[in-house]
Amino acid sequence: MNIKTSIAIGLLILLLCSNCTNVNKTNQPESTAILAERPPMGWNSWICFGTSVTEDEVKANADFMAENLKKYGWEYIVIDAGWYAPGMETLEQYESATPHQIIDKFGRLIVDAEKFPSAKNGEGLKPLADYLHSRGLKLGIHIMRGIPIQAVEANTRIKGTSYRARDIVNTDSRCKWYFGFYGIDMSKPGAQEYYDSLFELYESWGIDYVKADDLLSPIYAHDEIEAITKAARKGKRPIVLSLSPGPAPVENIKHLQSVAQLWRISEDFWDNWEALKEQFPLCRKWQKYICKGHWPDADMLPIGPMAQRAMRGTPRMSNFTPDEQYTMLTLWAMFRSPLMIGCNLPEIDDFTLNLITNKEVLDINQYSKGNKELFDRNGIIAWYAQSEDELTHYIAIFNTTDKDIESYTFPLQTINYIGDGHITDLWKNESMEIKNNSVSFSVPAHGVKLIKLTK
């Protein structure tokens, strides 16, 4: 082999490996990687409306996003659980042993026309998807692993086959928190065809994003994950696939990267400081697997006016203090987690609006690289990232203790930086000084200092 050939082969290997921070990245079709080239940004109905969100409420949040947030990169509107369950509003109804769900003749969940009037006459979510697409947005839905119990009871036929629901069901496999489904035995004829029929239906509706639940924890449903991924890729319409709930097993990273665009790293995340503190070690564990097209997901953002009809708590503004909200958004940005807002957007205050429209913070989430935790010293945690062109450095100093820090000095040699430069506090939009190749500042309890450094 001559020298020119060796160099060419070496450059090709570097190019193939450049998309992921994880050197063990699974080989996958390029088409799957480009579905979520950047961490998805959007809104999800769960935190505010639980299982009872209506078409009017979805449209109101979509309208607000289109008019106020789309220019910052927010684009997904995700309808979480319950779009197929008439009258389901309370936690007791959600946890019922036999929840009421609507199915079609092929055992597939269909849309509750009481909540979504445009779904009448078999239209499903297509009219709503058309509306969102006309506003430059994308529609997502939540689904559960398996087949509805109503389909098994009625022994519905699987579309395009001679098989029926009882031919593929695994009655020993059932979700631990929602009892409307049985698992599917993927070794049975007709099993893959059932999942194929689901995504055929979703494609006809114009769905852009599917959050598939009961797949990662407490049991990692490998075979059904494979089946869902295969079904999602069969159609002509690109569908981003999000897997829930967490914590996903980090040892399954190769498989996760080969099947999904995002996956949850934690249990459901709510507006509780102790829960936010628990996200730091999880982000540390997953940081080396941040990968273009495949994103570890720290879960939704419980900010602003939330829990109008939620499964957890009463209507309220987020229990997070302003400093805790800065901490959360900063960690999600530095970790490059997908961003899904959980509040009722038309009712947000100026603080919340400013929080989710800080372009420079959002740019870290969307366009940075080299994202990593630098250290954790008795609750003082530092994260680092740099811009894609490597001209800008981002440093976040989190104070997860219960005491304010009046003066903290960060030596810039920590990030191998020596010399002058311009430093900006990205949340306050204020300039800061470099002295002795260091920068000094205060950090409130539960708060953060997020700084941008450029030459």
Side-chain angles (χ1 to χ4, degrees):
M1 183 182 296
N2 60 39
I3 293 176
K4 289 183 178 180
T5 302
S6 298
I7 292 173
I9 291 173
L11 289 173
L12 178 61
I13 292 171
L14 286 173
L15 179 63
L16 291 172
C17 294
S18 63
N19 277 348
C20 283
T21 58
N22 171 30
V23 296
N24 293 320
K25 176 178 177 286
T26 299
N27 291 328
Q28 59 217 318
E30 180 61 24
S31 61
T32 65
I34 64 173
L35 290 183
E37 185 175 355
R38 313 285 180 184
M41 298 171 59
W43 172 87
N44 182 292
S45 61
W46 180 254
I47 286 179
C48 191
F49 299 107
T51 57
S52 63
V53 69
T54 67
E55 183 169 4
D56 286 345
E57 289 163 337
V58 172
K59 282 186 172 181
N61 279 274
D63 289 342
F64 186 94
M65 181 177 289
E67 293 160 12
N68 301 283
L69 305 180
K70 185 178 181 296
K71 60 186 175 182
Y72 295 97
W74 302 95
E75 62 176 344
Y76 287 98
I77 295 289
V78 182
I79 303 169
D80 214 284
W83 49 268
Y84 42 78
M88 185 181 287
E89 294 187 4
T90 67
L91 180 61
E92 291 73 22
Q93 291 169 325
Y94 178 68
E95 293 180 341
S96 166
T98 54
H100 179 34
Q101 305 171 126
I102 310 173
I103 60 172
D104 67 7
K105 64 181 180 179
F106 299 118
R108 304 174 297 185
L109 293 176
I110 55 175
V111 185
D112 172 18
E114 293 178 11
K115 296 172 185 171
F116 297 87
S118 68
K120 291 179 179 177
N121 302 318
E123 289 291 318
L125 289 172
K126 188 177 188 307
L128 182 57
D130 289 345
Y131 179 81
L132 266 61
H133 294 156
S134 74
R135 305 229 58 184
L137 304 177
K138 297 177 180 179
L139 178 60
I141 59 171
H142 170 282
I143 68 170
M144 294 293 295
R145 172 180 70 90
I147 186 167
I149 56 174
Q150 287 85 357
V152 177
E153 290 169 352
N155 202 22
T156 53
R157 186 168 64 85
I158 297 166
K159 186 178 181 184
T161 78
S162 60
Y163 301 106
R164 293 186 173 271
R166 293 177 195 167
D167 295 325
I168 66 170
V169 68
N170 178 3
T171 55
D172 293 326
S173 174
R174 205 166 184 186
C175 179
K176 302 297 183 184
W177 68 89
Y178 182 70
F179 307 116
F181 291 78
Y182 290 116
I184 293 176
D185 184 343
M186 294 310 304
S187 69
K188 299 292 183 66
Q192 182 63 54
E193 287 81 357
Y194 177 75
Y195 275 121
D196 291 347
S197 75
L198 295 184
F199 280 82
E200 178 186 278
L201 181 63
Y202 305 153
E203 182 173 22
S204 74
W205 290 347
I207 300 300
D208 305 289
Y209 177 112
V210 169
K211 174 184 174 182
D213 213 341
D214 191 30
L215 288 167
L216 303 179
S217 180
I219 296 172
Y220 190 82
H222 181 281
D223 290 351
E224 288 187 82
I225 293 172
E226 289 276 337
I228 288 169
T229 300
K230 184 177 180 180
R233 292 177 180 173
K234 277 191 173 181
K236 295 180 180 180
R237 184 176 194 83
I239 295 179
V240 169
L241 185 58
S242 167
L243 304 183
S244 286
V250 72
E251 60 270 21
N252 288 2
I253 182 60
K254 286 186 177 183
H255 187 242
L256 290 165
Q257 287 179 336
S258 72
V259 294
Q261 283 70 54
L262 52 154
W263 55 87
R264 284 268 302 281
I265 66 170
S266 72
E267 297 178 349
D268 282 6
F269 176 73
W270 288 85
D271 50 337
N272 174 278
W273 170 245
E274 291 303 316
L276 179 51
K277 284 176 66 176
E278 291 173 2
Q279 295 297 93
F280 281 91
L282 289 171
C283 290
R284 180 191 309 127
K285 181 169 70 172
W286 284 94
Q287 62 186 350
K288 64 181 177 179
Y289 303 117
I290 298 169
C291 173
K292 181 179 179 180
H294 307 280
W295 308 103
D297 180 7
D299 203 12
M300 289 176 275
L301 300 168
I303 56 176
M306 51 181 285
Q308 286 195 5
R309 299 187 303 277
M311 299 291 104
R312 297 289 184 271
T314 56
R316 62 187 183 276
M317 290 295 289
S318 174
N319 285 325
F320 283 131
T321 67
D323 284 326
E324 290 167 352
Q325 292 181 63
Y326 287 134
T327 289
M328 176 176 56
L329 262 294
T330 301
L331 179 61
W332 268 237
M334 296 295 283
F335 179 62
R336 301 198 72 188
S337 172
L339 301 176
M340 289 288 164
I341 302 165
C343 65
N344 189 30
L345 290 173
E347 296 180 342
I348 62 173
D349 57 9
D350 288 342
F351 173 83
T352 307
L353 181 61
N354 291 333
L355 194 71
I356 59 178
T357 57
N358 187 314
K359 184 179 184 305
E360 294 210 77
V361 176
L362 295 176
D363 280 350
I364 300 173
N365 176 267
Q366 294 290 292
Y367 301 107
S368 62
K369 69 177 187 178
N371 311 70
K372 62 182 178 180
E373 183 185 274
L374 295 174
F375 58 77
D376 180 352
R377 298 170 181 165
N378 299 316
I380 308 304
I381 302 172
W383 270 74
Y384 171 76
Q386 61 182 164
S387 59
E388 290 180 337
D389 61 11
E390 302 183 4
L391 299 177
T392 302
H393 306 269
Y394 303 104
I395 304 159
I397 305 295
F398 299 92
N399 177 9
T400 66
T401 76
D402 297 331
K403 294 183 179 180
D404 296 343
I405 298 175
E406 298 299 330
S407 180
Y408 184 87
T409 299
F410 181 83
L412 295 179
Q413 59 261 36
T414 303
I415 60 169
N416 298 317
Y417 186 96
I418 298 175
D420 294 328
H422 180 70
I423 292 189
T424 305
D425 180 327
L426 291 185
W427 285 119
K428 293 184 178 180
N429 194 27
E430 296 175 350
S431 294
M432 303 170 68
E433 288 186 280
I434 296 177
K435 291 183 178 180
N436 299 321
N437 206 52
S438 299
V439 58
S440 298
F441 43 82
S442 61
V443 192
H446 300 191
V448 66
K449 181 66 70 172
L450 176 59
I451 55 181
K452 172 185 175 181
L453 169 61
T454 55
K455 278 287 190 183

